[in-house]
Amino acid sequence: IGWMLVYLLMAYLTWQWRRGVLPIAAALGLLMLVFALVSGPAWFTRDKPGYAEPALPANLLGIITLVIVPVEMLLIAFAMRGFAQGWNVELEQLEPGYEPDALAHSA
C-alpha cells in the first residue's frame, strides 16, 4: 500500500509538470522490477503440500507478479523518455511581426 501511495504522489507531481520526479519513478520501477522478476517464479513453486495457502491462489499471485514486469519496464521507458524531453526548459518566443528595434527608432 505504501508503494502505491508513493506512485500516486509521483503521478500527481508529474501531472503538475515537475520533471525531477521522473528519475525517481524510474529507479523505484527498477527496484520493483527486480522484486517481481525474483518473486514471480517462486509463487508457482508454492503450489505444493507444506506451504500455507495465501488469501489468493498461489498461481494467480504468480501471474499477477509476472504481469508487473512489463508494466514496470514501460514505466521506466516512459519516465526516462519524458525526462530526456526537458519539459521544464522554457524558450522565449517572439510574436510574429515583432521588431525589437522599432521602439528605439521611433524616439
Side-chain angles (χ1 to χ4, degrees):
I1 293 175
W3 203 277
M4 181 183 66
L5 292 175
V6 170
Y7 272 174
L8 287 174
L9 176 64
M10 288 188 297
Y12 172 75
L13 291 174
T14 303
W15 185 262
Q16 298 296 320
W17 294 99
R18 304 230 174 108
R19 182 179 150 228
V21 77
L22 292 175
I24 298 168
L28 289 177
L30 182 63
L31 187 61
M32 179 65 83
L33 175 71
V34 170
F35 287 155
L37 281 172
V38 170
S39 65
W43 280 110
F44 295 108
T45 60
R46 289 182 58 98
D47 199 15
K48 295 181 180 150
Y51 286 104
E53 189 63 32
L56 294 174
N59 287 336
L60 178 62
L61 288 172
I63 291 171
I64 291 172
T65 306
L66 291 179
V67 165
I68 290 174
V69 172
V71 171
E72 293 300 326
M73 287 178 161
L74 287 173
L75 170 73
I76 294 166
F78 282 107
M80 288 294 90
R81 177 71 176 154
F83 185 73
Q85 289 178 357
W87 306 342
N88 63 339
V89 178
E90 295 182 12
L91 298 175
E92 187 174 328
Q93 299 283 328
L94 298 178
E95 293 181 20
Y98 175 77
E99 294 180 26
D101 294 328
L103 293 175
H105 294 295
S106 65

